[in-house]
PDB file of all heavy atoms in Angstrom:
ATOM      1  N   ALA A   1       0.828  -1.218   0.018  1.00  0.00           N
ATOM      2  CA  ALA A   1       0.052   0.047   0.045  1.00  0.00           C
ATOM      3  C   ALA A   1       0.919   1.218  -0.012  1.00  0.00           C
ATOM      4  O   ALA A   1       0.438   2.316  -0.539  1.00  0.00           O
ATOM      5  CB  ALA A   1      -0.990  -0.062   1.121  1.00  0.00           C
ATOM      6  N   LEU A   2       2.103   1.152   0.567  1.00  0.00           N
ATOM      7  CA  LEU A   2       2.961   2.260   0.653  1.00  0.00           C
ATOM      8  C   LEU A   2       3.860   2.470  -0.650  1.00  0.00           C
ATOM      9  O   LEU A   2       4.367   3.400  -0.936  1.00  0.00           O
ATOM     10  CB  LEU A   2       3.849   2.156   1.828  1.00  0.00           C
ATOM     11  CG  LEU A   2       3.180   2.526   3.259  1.00  0.00           C
ATOM     12  CD1 LEU A   2       4.097   2.054   4.305  1.00  0.00           C
ATOM     13  CD2 LEU A   2       2.743   3.919   3.321  1.00  0.00           C
ATOM     14  N   THR A   3       3.873   1.399  -1.400  1.00  0.00           N
ATOM     15  CA  THR A   3       4.914   1.354  -2.656  1.00  0.00           C
ATOM     16  C   THR A   3       4.041   1.439  -3.867  1.00  0.00           C
ATOM     17  O   THR A   3       3.579   2.434  -4.440  1.00  0.00           O
ATOM     18  CB  THR A   3       5.822   0.261  -2.567  1.00  0.00           C
ATOM     19  OG1 THR A   3       5.107  -1.029  -2.380  1.00  0.00           O
ATOM     20  CG2 THR A   3       6.753   0.403  -1.380  1.00  0.00           C
ATOM     21  N   SER A   4       3.671   0.186  -4.449  1.00  0.00           N
ATOM     22  CA  SER A   4       3.101   0.172  -5.808  1.00  0.00           C
ATOM     23  C   SER A   4       1.580   0.356  -5.627  1.00  0.00           C
ATOM     24  O   SER A   4       0.843   0.843  -6.678  1.00  0.00           O
ATOM     25  CB  SER A   4       3.329  -1.137  -6.390  1.00  0.00           C
ATOM     26  OG  SER A   4       2.767  -2.191  -5.636  1.00  0.00           O
ATOM     27  N   ILE A   5       0.968   0.190  -4.597  1.00  0.00           N
ATOM     28  CA  ILE A   5      -0.544   0.400  -4.256  1.00  0.00           C
ATOM     29  C   ILE A   5      -1.254  -0.716  -4.933  1.00  0.00           C
ATOM     30  O   ILE A   5      -1.986  -1.482  -4.279  1.00  0.00           O
ATOM     31  CB  ILE A   5      -0.997   1.704  -4.681  1.00  0.00           C
ATOM     32  CG1 ILE A   5      -0.267   2.882  -4.041  1.00  0.00           C
ATOM     33  CG2 ILE A   5      -2.501   1.821  -4.475  1.00  0.00           C
ATOM     34  CD1 ILE A   5      -0.583   4.256  -4.328  1.00  0.00           C
ATOM     35  N   ILE A   6      -1.170  -0.758  -6.311  1.00  0.00           N
ATOM     36  CA  ILE A   6      -1.924  -1.878  -7.051  1.00  0.00           C
ATOM     37  C   ILE A   6      -0.878  -2.864  -7.500  1.00  0.00           C
ATOM     38  O   ILE A   6       0.279  -2.543  -7.794  1.00  0.00           O
ATOM     39  CB  ILE A   6      -2.731  -1.443  -8.146  1.00  0.00           C
ATOM     40  CG1 ILE A   6      -2.034  -0.603  -9.223  1.00  0.00           C
ATOM     41  CG2 ILE A   6      -3.886  -0.538  -7.619  1.00  0.00           C
ATOM     42  CD1 ILE A   6      -2.788  -0.167 -10.488  1.00  0.00           C
ATOM     43  N   LEU A   7      -1.397  -4.161  -7.567  1.00  0.00           N
ATOM     44  CA  LEU A   7      -0.407  -5.258  -8.021  1.00  0.00           C
ATOM     45  C   LEU A   7      -0.716  -5.664  -9.519  1.00  0.00           C
ATOM     46  O   LEU A   7      -1.759  -5.156 -10.052  1.00  0.00           O
ATOM     47  CB  LEU A   7      -0.565  -6.312  -7.101  1.00  0.00           C
ATOM     48  CG  LEU A   7      -0.263  -6.216  -5.671  1.00  0.00           C
ATOM     49  CD1 LEU A   7      -0.677  -7.287  -4.754  1.00  0.00           C
ATOM     50  CD2 LEU A   7       1.293  -5.782  -5.559  1.00  0.00           C
ATOM     51  N   PRO A   8       0.089  -6.378 -10.132  1.00  0.00           N
ATOM     52  CA  PRO A   8      -0.003  -6.870 -11.498  1.00  0.00           C
ATOM     53  C   PRO A   8      -1.451  -7.399 -11.824  1.00  0.00           C
ATOM     54  O   PRO A   8      -2.017  -7.106 -12.855  1.00  0.00           O
ATOM     55  CB  PRO A   8       1.121  -7.773 -11.764  1.00  0.00           C
ATOM     56  CG  PRO A   8       2.137  -7.364 -10.843  1.00  0.00           C
ATOM     57  CD  PRO A   8       1.556  -6.985  -9.561  1.00  0.00           C
ATOM     58  N   TYR A   9      -1.883  -8.156 -10.919  1.00  0.00           N
ATOM     59  CA  TYR A   9      -3.232  -8.790 -11.221  1.00  0.00           C
ATOM     60  C   TYR A   9      -4.397  -7.677 -11.172  1.00  0.00           C
ATOM     61  O   TYR A   9      -5.433  -7.802 -11.759  1.00  0.00           O
ATOM     62  CB  TYR A   9      -3.511  -9.968 -10.303  1.00  0.00           C
ATOM     63  CG  TYR A   9      -3.527  -9.797  -8.892  1.00  0.00           C
ATOM     64  CD1 TYR A   9      -4.712  -9.214  -8.214  1.00  0.00           C
ATOM     65  CD2 TYR A   9      -2.423 -10.067  -8.026  1.00  0.00           C
ATOM     66  CE1 TYR A   9      -4.822  -9.048  -6.825  1.00  0.00           C
ATOM     67  CE2 TYR A   9      -2.441  -9.805  -6.655  1.00  0.00           C
ATOM     68  CZ  TYR A   9      -3.586  -9.232  -6.038  1.00  0.00           C
ATOM     69  OH  TYR A   9      -3.590  -9.106  -4.848  1.00  0.00           O
ATOM     70  N   ASP A  10      -4.260  -6.548 -10.312  1.00  0.00           N
ATOM     71  CA  ASP A  10      -5.141  -5.583 -10.391  1.00  0.00           C
ATOM     72  C   ASP A  10      -5.040  -4.826 -11.726  1.00  0.00           C
ATOM     73  O   ASP A  10      -6.150  -4.443 -12.274  1.00  0.00           O
ATOM     74  CB  ASP A  10      -4.692  -4.480  -9.182  1.00  0.00           C
ATOM     75  CG  ASP A  10      -4.951  -5.082  -7.860  1.00  0.00           C
ATOM     76  OD1 ASP A  10      -5.957  -5.907  -7.650  1.00  0.00           O
ATOM     77  OD2 ASP A  10      -4.103  -4.799  -6.997  1.00  0.00           O
ATOM     78  N   GLU A  11      -3.803  -4.562 -12.243  1.00  0.00           N
ATOM     79  CA  GLU A  11      -3.793  -3.940 -13.463  1.00  0.00           C
ATOM     80  C   GLU A  11      -4.278  -4.736 -14.536  1.00  0.00           C
ATOM     81  O   GLU A  11      -4.965  -4.142 -15.534  1.00  0.00           O
ATOM     82  CB  GLU A  11      -2.148  -3.758 -13.694  1.00  0.00           C
ATOM     83  CG  GLU A  11      -1.537  -2.736 -12.845  1.00  0.00           C
ATOM     84  CD  GLU A  11      -0.108  -2.586 -13.036  1.00  0.00           C
ATOM     85  OE1 GLU A  11       0.562  -3.506 -13.470  1.00  0.00           O
ATOM     86  OE2 GLU A  11       0.470  -1.451 -12.720  1.00  0.00           O
ATOM     87  N   SER A  12      -4.138  -5.968 -14.553  1.00  0.00           N
ATOM     88  CA  SER A  12      -4.688  -6.874 -15.477  1.00  0.00           C
ATOM     89  C   SER A  12      -6.294  -6.801 -15.548  1.00  0.00           C
ATOM     90  O   SER A  12      -6.838  -6.764 -16.612  1.00  0.00           O
ATOM     91  CB  SER A  12      -4.206  -8.365 -15.357  1.00  0.00           C
ATOM     92  OG  SER A  12      -4.732  -9.231 -16.289  1.00  0.00           O
ATOM     93  N   PHE A  13      -6.760  -6.825 -14.423  1.00  0.00           N
ATOM     94  CA  PHE A  13      -8.257  -6.840 -14.234  1.00  0.00           C
ATOM     95  C   PHE A  13      -8.818  -5.521 -14.802  1.00  0.00           C
ATOM     96  O   PHE A  13      -9.769  -5.422 -15.443  1.00  0.00           O
ATOM     97  CB  PHE A  13      -8.728  -7.152 -12.815  1.00  0.00           C
ATOM     98  CG  PHE A  13     -10.196  -7.108 -12.608  1.00  0.00           C
ATOM     99  CD1 PHE A  13     -10.986  -8.229 -13.007  1.00  0.00           C
ATOM    100  CD2 PHE A  13     -10.882  -6.096 -12.063  1.00  0.00           C
ATOM    101  CE1 PHE A  13     -12.266  -8.274 -12.971  1.00  0.00           C
ATOM    102  CE2 PHE A  13     -12.229  -5.973 -11.915  1.00  0.00           C
ATOM    103  CZ  PHE A  13     -12.997  -7.198 -12.440  1.00  0.00           C
ATOM    104  N   ILE A  14      -8.062  -4.370 -14.313  1.00  0.00           N
ATOM    105  CA  ILE A  14      -8.562  -3.066 -14.743  1.00  0.00           C
ATOM    106  C   ILE A  14      -8.368  -2.750 -16.112  1.00  0.00           C
ATOM    107  O   ILE A  14      -9.207  -2.028 -16.755  1.00  0.00           O
ATOM    108  CB  ILE A  14      -7.905  -1.912 -13.808  1.00  0.00           C
ATOM    109  CG1 ILE A  14      -8.289  -2.211 -12.307  1.00  0.00           C
ATOM    110  CG2 ILE A  14      -8.259  -0.527 -14.173  1.00  0.00           C
ATOM    111  CD1 ILE A  14      -7.447  -1.309 -11.328  1.00  0.00           C
ATOM    112  N   GLY A  15      -7.273  -3.302 -16.648  1.00  0.00           N
ATOM    113  CA  GLY A  15      -6.993  -3.017 -18.114  1.00  0.00           C
ATOM    114  C   GLY A  15      -6.111  -1.787 -18.207  1.00  0.00           C
ATOM    115  O   GLY A  15      -5.845  -1.331 -19.409  1.00  0.00           O
ATOM    116  N   LEU A  16      -5.608  -1.337 -17.142  1.00  0.00           N
ATOM    117  CA  LEU A  16      -4.705  -0.215 -17.161  1.00  0.00           C
ATOM    118  C   LEU A  16      -3.527  -0.460 -16.202  1.00  0.00           C
ATOM    119  O   LEU A  16      -3.737  -1.088 -15.225  1.00  0.00           O
ATOM    120  CB  LEU A  16      -5.420   1.169 -16.657  1.00  0.00           C
ATOM    121  CG  LEU A  16      -6.579   1.556 -17.551  1.00  0.00           C
ATOM    122  CD1 LEU A  16      -7.475   2.650 -16.755  1.00  0.00           C
ATOM    123  CD2 LEU A  16      -6.253   2.123 -18.804  1.00  0.00           C
ATOM    124  N   THR A  17      -2.348   0.157 -16.608  1.00  0.00           N
ATOM    125  CA  THR A  17      -1.193   0.011 -15.746  1.00  0.00           C
ATOM    126  C   THR A  17      -1.271   1.186 -14.618  1.00  0.00           C
ATOM    127  O   THR A  17      -1.987   2.100 -14.786  1.00  0.00           O
ATOM    128  CB  THR A  17       0.066   0.100 -16.551  1.00  0.00           C
ATOM    129  OG1 THR A  17       0.135   1.431 -17.167  1.00  0.00           O
ATOM    130  CG2 THR A  17       0.164  -0.875 -17.653  1.00  0.00           C
ATOM    131  N   ARG A  18      -0.426   1.040 -13.793  1.00  0.00           N
ATOM    132  CA  ARG A  18      -0.232   2.121 -12.629  1.00  0.00           C
ATOM    133  C   ARG A  18       0.063   3.447 -13.308  1.00  0.00           C
ATOM    134  O   ARG A  18      -0.554   4.452 -12.916  1.00  0.00           O
ATOM    135  CB  ARG A  18       0.859   1.668 -11.641  1.00  0.00           C
ATOM    136  CG  ARG A  18       1.086   2.583 -10.553  1.00  0.00           C
ATOM    137  CD  ARG A  18       1.981   2.090  -9.591  1.00  0.00           C
ATOM    138  NE  ARG A  18       2.075   2.860  -8.476  1.00  0.00           N
ATOM    139  CZ  ARG A  18       2.864   4.004  -8.200  1.00  0.00           C
ATOM    140  NH1 ARG A  18       3.629   4.384  -9.313  1.00  0.00           N
ATOM    141  NH2 ARG A  18       2.948   4.653  -7.146  1.00  0.00           N
ATOM    142  N   ALA A  19       0.894   3.433 -14.197  1.00  0.00           N
ATOM    143  CA  ALA A  19       1.247   4.615 -14.906  1.00  0.00           C
ATOM    144  C   ALA A  19       0.063   5.295 -15.697  1.00  0.00           C
ATOM    145  O   ALA A  19      -0.016   6.479 -15.815  1.00  0.00           O
ATOM    146  CB  ALA A  19       2.474   4.429 -16.029  1.00  0.00           C
ATOM    147  N   ASP A  20      -0.665   4.399 -16.364  1.00  0.00           N
ATOM    148  CA  ASP A  20      -1.891   4.860 -17.066  1.00  0.00           C
ATOM    149  C   ASP A  20      -2.871   5.504 -16.272  1.00  0.00           C
ATOM    150  O   ASP A  20      -3.338   6.695 -16.516  1.00  0.00           O
ATOM    151  CB  ASP A  20      -2.563   3.729 -17.623  1.00  0.00           C
ATOM    152  CG  ASP A  20      -1.790   3.028 -18.888  1.00  0.00           C
ATOM    153  OD1 ASP A  20      -1.010   3.783 -19.413  1.00  0.00           O
ATOM    154  OD2 ASP A  20      -1.898   1.798 -19.004  1.00  0.00           O
ATOM    155  N   ILE A  21      -2.962   4.984 -15.043  1.00  0.00           N
ATOM    156  CA  ILE A  21      -4.009   5.537 -13.969  1.00  0.00           C
ATOM    157  C   ILE A  21      -3.481   6.952 -13.539  1.00  0.00           C
ATOM    158  O   ILE A  21      -4.218   7.877 -13.390  1.00  0.00           O
ATOM    159  CB  ILE A  21      -4.231   4.685 -12.796  1.00  0.00           C
ATOM    160  CG1 ILE A  21      -5.017   3.362 -13.349  1.00  0.00           C
ATOM    161  CG2 ILE A  21      -5.125   5.275 -11.785  1.00  0.00           C
ATOM    162  CD1 ILE A  21      -5.112   2.291 -12.309  1.00  0.00           C
ATOM    163  N   LEU A  22      -2.135   6.972 -13.238  1.00  0.00           N
ATOM    164  CA  LEU A  22      -1.581   8.202 -12.822  1.00  0.00           C
ATOM    165  C   LEU A  22      -1.722   9.280 -13.917  1.00  0.00           C
ATOM    166  O   LEU A  22      -1.895  10.480 -13.479  1.00  0.00           O
ATOM    167  CB  LEU A  22      -0.112   8.068 -12.452  1.00  0.00           C
ATOM    168  CG  LEU A  22       0.204   7.266 -11.235  1.00  0.00           C
ATOM    169  CD1 LEU A  22       1.754   6.985 -11.107  1.00  0.00           C
ATOM    170  CD2 LEU A  22      -0.225   8.183  -9.991  1.00  0.00           C
ATOM    171  N   GLN A  23      -1.591   8.833 -15.057  1.00  0.00           N
ATOM    172  CA  GLN A  23      -1.642   9.771 -16.200  1.00  0.00           C
ATOM    173  C   GLN A  23      -3.146  10.494 -16.324  1.00  0.00           C
ATOM    174  O   GLN A  23      -3.355  11.606 -16.572  1.00  0.00           O
ATOM    175  CB  GLN A  23      -1.215   9.220 -17.599  1.00  0.00           C
ATOM    176  CG  GLN A  23      -1.056  10.267 -18.693  1.00  0.00           C
ATOM    177  CD  GLN A  23      -0.513   9.504 -19.865  1.00  0.00           C
ATOM    178  OE1 GLN A  23      -0.319   8.368 -19.901  1.00  0.00           O
ATOM    179  NE2 GLN A  23      -0.193  10.420 -20.901  1.00  0.00           N
ATOM    180  N   VAL A  24      -4.125   9.584 -16.023  1.00  0.00           N
ATOM    181  CA  VAL A  24      -5.441  10.027 -16.087  1.00  0.00           C
ATOM    182  C   VAL A  24      -5.855  10.894 -14.996  1.00  0.00           C
ATOM    183  O   VAL A  24      -6.450  11.912 -15.176  1.00  0.00           O
ATOM    184  CB  VAL A  24      -6.452   8.808 -16.289  1.00  0.00           C
ATOM    185  CG1 VAL A  24      -8.017   9.288 -16.156  1.00  0.00           C
ATOM    186  CG2 VAL A  24      -6.218   8.008 -17.436  1.00  0.00           C
ATOM    187  N   ASN A  25      -5.588  10.363 -13.730  1.00  0.00           N
ATOM    188  CA  ASN A  25      -5.905  11.150 -12.590  1.00  0.00           C
ATOM    189  C   ASN A  25      -5.080  10.614 -11.328  1.00  0.00           C
ATOM    190  O   ASN A  25      -5.434   9.533 -10.892  1.00  0.00           O
ATOM    191  CB  ASN A  25      -7.469  11.107 -12.206  1.00  0.00           C
ATOM    192  CG  ASN A  25      -7.873  11.903 -11.001  1.00  0.00           C
ATOM    193  OD1 ASN A  25      -7.009  12.492 -10.413  1.00  0.00           O
ATOM    194  ND2 ASN A  25      -9.184  12.061 -10.709  1.00  0.00           N
ATOM    195  N   PRO A  26      -4.082  11.138 -10.910  1.00  0.00           N
ATOM    196  CA  PRO A  26      -3.320  10.734  -9.834  1.00  0.00           C
ATOM    197  C   PRO A  26      -4.065  10.462  -8.507  1.00  0.00           C
ATOM    198  O   PRO A  26      -3.690   9.717  -7.638  1.00  0.00           O
ATOM    199  CB  PRO A  26      -2.226  11.858  -9.574  1.00  0.00           C
ATOM    200  CG  PRO A  26      -2.230  12.624 -10.889  1.00  0.00           C
ATOM    201  CD  PRO A  26      -3.621  12.563 -11.447  1.00  0.00           C
ATOM    202  N   LEU A  27      -5.195  11.231  -8.424  1.00  0.00           N
ATOM    203  CA  LEU A  27      -6.074  11.001  -7.250  1.00  0.00           C
ATOM    204  C   LEU A  27      -6.568   9.653  -6.997  1.00  0.00           C
ATOM    205  O   LEU A  27      -7.036   9.268  -5.926  1.00  0.00           O
ATOM    206  CB  LEU A  27      -6.980  12.160  -7.087  1.00  0.00           C
ATOM    207  CG  LEU A  27      -6.449  13.581  -6.957  1.00  0.00           C
ATOM    208  CD1 LEU A  27      -7.622  14.592  -6.915  1.00  0.00           C
ATOM    209  CD2 LEU A  27      -5.623  13.687  -5.709  1.00  0.00           C
ATOM    210  N   ILE A  28      -6.749   8.935  -8.172  1.00  0.00           N
ATOM    211  CA  ILE A  28      -7.499   7.625  -8.118  1.00  0.00           C
ATOM    212  C   ILE A  28      -6.411   6.700  -7.354  1.00  0.00           C
ATOM    213  O   ILE A  28      -7.101   5.992  -6.455  1.00  0.00           O
ATOM    214  CB  ILE A  28      -7.559   7.131  -9.628  1.00  0.00           C
ATOM    215  CG1 ILE A  28      -8.751   7.925 -10.285  1.00  0.00           C
ATOM    216  CG2 ILE A  28      -8.182   5.641  -9.444  1.00  0.00           C
ATOM    217  CD1 ILE A  28      -8.890   7.729 -11.730  1.00  0.00           C
ATOM    218  N   LEU A  29      -5.291   6.656  -7.601  1.00  0.00           N
ATOM    219  CA  LEU A  29      -4.401   5.766  -6.858  1.00  0.00           C
ATOM    220  C   LEU A  29      -4.280   6.236  -5.440  1.00  0.00           C
ATOM    221  O   LEU A  29      -4.075   5.434  -4.468  1.00  0.00           O
ATOM    222  CB  LEU A  29      -2.935   5.908  -7.561  1.00  0.00           C
ATOM    223  CG  LEU A  29      -2.716   4.824  -8.643  1.00  0.00           C
ATOM    224  CD1 LEU A  29      -1.404   5.014  -9.248  1.00  0.00           C
ATOM    225  CD2 LEU A  29      -3.143   3.411  -8.362  1.00  0.00           C
ATOM    226  N   ALA A  30      -4.282   7.546  -5.231  1.00  0.00           N
ATOM    227  CA  ALA A  30      -4.248   8.137  -3.745  1.00  0.00           C
ATOM    228  C   ALA A  30      -5.555   7.683  -3.034  1.00  0.00           C
ATOM    229  O   ALA A  30      -5.307   7.121  -1.917  1.00  0.00           O
ATOM    230  CB  ALA A  30      -4.188   9.481  -3.776  1.00  0.00           C
ATOM    231  N   PHE A  31      -6.554   7.620  -3.769  1.00  0.00           N
ATOM    232  CA  PHE A  31      -7.819   7.127  -3.025  1.00  0.00           C
ATOM    233  C   PHE A  31      -7.793   5.699  -2.688  1.00  0.00           C
ATOM    234  O   PHE A  31      -8.128   5.209  -1.694  1.00  0.00           O
ATOM    235  CB  PHE A  31      -8.992   7.544  -4.003  1.00  0.00           C
ATOM    236  CG  PHE A  31     -10.393   7.081  -3.448  1.00  0.00           C
ATOM    237  CD1 PHE A  31     -10.883   7.943  -2.393  1.00  0.00           C
ATOM    238  CD2 PHE A  31     -11.074   5.976  -3.654  1.00  0.00           C
ATOM    239  CE1 PHE A  31     -12.153   7.671  -1.904  1.00  0.00           C
ATOM    240  CE2 PHE A  31     -12.242   5.640  -3.156  1.00  0.00           C
ATOM    241  CZ  PHE A  31     -12.768   6.499  -2.225  1.00  0.00           C
ATOM    242  N   MET A  32      -7.269   4.890  -3.725  1.00  0.00           N
ATOM    243  CA  MET A  32      -7.158   3.399  -3.504  1.00  0.00           C
ATOM    244  C   MET A  32      -6.164   3.241  -2.426  1.00  0.00           C
ATOM    245  O   MET A  32      -6.354   2.249  -1.561  1.00  0.00           O
ATOM    246  CB  MET A  32      -6.738   2.809  -4.902  1.00  0.00           C
ATOM    247  CG  MET A  32      -7.782   2.885  -5.946  1.00  0.00           C
ATOM    248  SD  MET A  32      -7.232   2.024  -7.508  1.00  0.00           S
ATOM    249  CE  MET A  32      -7.278   0.472  -7.071  1.00  0.00           C
ATOM    250  N   SER A  33      -5.158   3.986  -2.315  1.00  0.00           N
ATOM    251  CA  SER A  33      -4.076   3.837  -1.335  1.00  0.00           C
ATOM    252  C   SER A  33      -4.674   4.060   0.114  1.00  0.00           C
ATOM    253  O   SER A  33      -4.525   3.239   1.051  1.00  0.00           O
ATOM    254  CB  SER A  33      -2.912   4.745  -1.516  1.00  0.00           C
ATOM    255  OG  SER A  33      -2.102   4.820  -0.409  1.00  0.00           O
ATOM    256  N   HIS A  34      -5.674   4.946   0.191  1.00  0.00           N
ATOM    257  CA  HIS A  34      -6.071   5.234   1.558  1.00  0.00           C
ATOM    258  C   HIS A  34      -7.120   4.124   2.078  1.00  0.00           C
ATOM    259  O   HIS A  34      -7.051   3.748   3.256  1.00  0.00           O
ATOM    260  CB  HIS A  34      -6.879   6.622   1.568  1.00  0.00           C
ATOM    261  CG  HIS A  34      -8.367   6.582   1.619  1.00  0.00           C
ATOM    262  ND1 HIS A  34      -9.096   6.298   0.523  1.00  0.00           N
ATOM    263  CD2 HIS A  34      -9.089   6.905   2.737  1.00  0.00           C
ATOM    264  CE1 HIS A  34     -10.366   6.361   0.994  1.00  0.00           C
ATOM    265  NE2 HIS A  34     -10.457   6.759   2.273  1.00  0.00           N
ATOM    266  N   ASP A  35      -7.793   3.456   1.031  1.00  0.00           N
ATOM    267  CA  ASP A  35      -8.601   2.334   1.555  1.00  0.00           C
ATOM    268  C   ASP A  35      -7.681   1.122   2.015  1.00  0.00           C
ATOM    269  O   ASP A  35      -7.970   0.425   2.950  1.00  0.00           O
ATOM    270  CB  ASP A  35      -9.490   1.980   0.383  1.00  0.00           C
ATOM    271  CG  ASP A  35     -10.864   2.585   0.418  1.00  0.00           C
ATOM    272  OD1 ASP A  35     -11.224   3.180   1.337  1.00  0.00           O
ATOM    273  OD2 ASP A  35     -11.566   2.583  -0.595  1.00  0.00           O
ATOM    274  N   ARG A  36      -6.638   1.027   1.099  1.00  0.00           N
ATOM    275  CA  ARG A  36      -5.809  -0.324   1.402  1.00  0.00           C
ATOM    276  C   ARG A  36      -5.040  -0.046   2.655  1.00  0.00           C
ATOM    277  O   ARG A  36      -4.587  -1.005   3.346  1.00  0.00           O
ATOM    278  CB  ARG A  36      -4.841  -0.519   0.121  1.00  0.00           C
ATOM    279  CG  ARG A  36      -5.843  -0.873  -1.067  1.00  0.00           C
ATOM    280  CD  ARG A  36      -5.059  -1.562  -2.257  1.00  0.00           C
ATOM    281  NE  ARG A  36      -5.947  -2.058  -3.051  1.00  0.00           N
ATOM    282  CZ  ARG A  36      -5.638  -2.919  -4.127  1.00  0.00           C
ATOM    283  NH1 ARG A  36      -4.307  -3.212  -4.373  1.00  0.00           N
ATOM    284  NH2 ARG A  36      -6.440  -3.399  -5.051  1.00  0.00           N
TER     285      ARG A  36
END
């Protein structure tokens, strides 16, 4: 939760990589981080 936040199988299910999500809206990963 403090490093990658989402794991490869998360990326595979979502269809987006961590970098893709950061490019769209960095707050999405921050929000997911706070739940995790």
Side-chain angles (χ1 to χ4, degrees):
L2 287 172
T3 54
S4 62
I5 303 176
I6 59 174
L7 298 173
Y9 59 82
D10 294 322
E11 294 177 330
S12 176
F13 181 79
I14 296 170
L16 297 171
T17 65
R18 183 176 186 274
D20 293 334
I21 296 173
L22 284 172
Q23 190 173 7
V24 174
N25 184 353
L27 294 177
I28 295 175
L29 277 182
F31 183 81
M32 295 177 71
S33 170
H34 110 284
D35 271 347
R36 296 192 170 193

